[in-house]
């Protein structure tokens, strides 16, 4: 059963693919990306994926402006560097919190630069640790 309907607000890359596998490590269908224009399946939690950049914050804001009467989405912020997000991005993301069901952050994972795919990324301890933390946050534990 689909639990997380993933919506990348900036495009699809290795980080987004890895988040999908983090939320569905067995590949059982608990998380998947929606195709453009696809409706959010009944019972699935919409999840926006964005990088921790000002551009990412702008794209999330644009998405939320057009969101409409759908259930509030969760936001997964994917760190794009081994440092905190810049102040302008942090401010925008904070300002949007009231329009979200919650926010989770995936730390910068340098191994994503050296793997061929998300399955290979999940073989690394840092990614596994981040996946456990992400699932706990998403489940409200």
């Amino acid at each position: 059963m689909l639990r997380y309907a993933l919506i990348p607000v900036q495009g699809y890359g290795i980080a987004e693919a890895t988040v999908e596998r983090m939320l569905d490590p067995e590949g059982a269908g608990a998380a998947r990306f929606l195709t453009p224009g696809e409706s959010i399946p009944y019972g699935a939690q919409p999840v926006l994926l964005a990088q921790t950049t000002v551009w990412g914050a702008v794209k999330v804001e644009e998405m939320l402006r057009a969101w409409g009467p759908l259930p509030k989405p969760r936001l997964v912020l994917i760190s794009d560097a081994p440092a905190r997000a810049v102040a302008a991005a942090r401010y925008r993301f904070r300002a949007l919190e009231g329009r979200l069901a919650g926010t989770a952050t995936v730390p910068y994972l340098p191994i994503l630069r050296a793997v061929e795919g998300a399955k290979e990324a999940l073989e690394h301890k840092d990614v596994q640790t981040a996946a456990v933390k992400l699932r706990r946050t998403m489940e409200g534990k």
Side-chain angles (χ1 to χ4, degrees):
M1 180 175 141
L2 181 63
R3 186 169 187 179
Y4 302 111
L6 306 177
I7 305 164
V9 299
Q10 295 170 265
Y12 180 83
I14 185 64
E16 291 78 12
T18 302
V19 168
E20 178 185 26
R21 289 300 298 229
M22 288 174 156
L23 293 173
D24 187 13
E26 289 84 35
R32 74 169 173 84
F33 286 94
L34 298 183
T35 58
E38 181 180 356
S39 298
I40 297 167
Y42 183 76
Q45 172 70 55
V47 179
L48 305 178
L49 303 178
Q51 292 186 9
T52 56
T53 61
V54 173
W55 177 252
V58 167
K59 299 316 267 177
V60 169
E61 184 176 4
E62 288 174 2
M63 179 75 70
L64 291 174
R65 280 189 185 152
W67 195 254
L70 299 168
K72 284 184 177 183
R74 287 186 163 277
L75 174 62
V76 173
L77 292 173
I78 304 165
S79 297
D80 67 313
R84 287 175 69 170
V86 296
R90 291 191 317 266
Y91 173 80
R92 279 184 189 248
F93 287 126
R94 260 194 322 271
L96 297 171
E97 285 177 353
R99 301 172 83 180
L100 298 165
T103 303
T105 302
V106 174
Y108 177 68
L109 299 166
I111 194 64
L112 296 184
R113 298 173 56 88
V115 295
E116 291 185 15
K119 185 176 179 181
E120 182 183 346
L122 279 179
E123 295 172 3
H124 295 270
K125 185 179 180 188
D126 291 346
V127 178
Q128 292 170 2
T129 301
V132 168
K133 289 180 183 177
L134 176 61
R135 286 192 299 273
R136 282 185 185 151
T137 301
M138 298 294 282
E139 294 166 3
K141 295 181 179 177

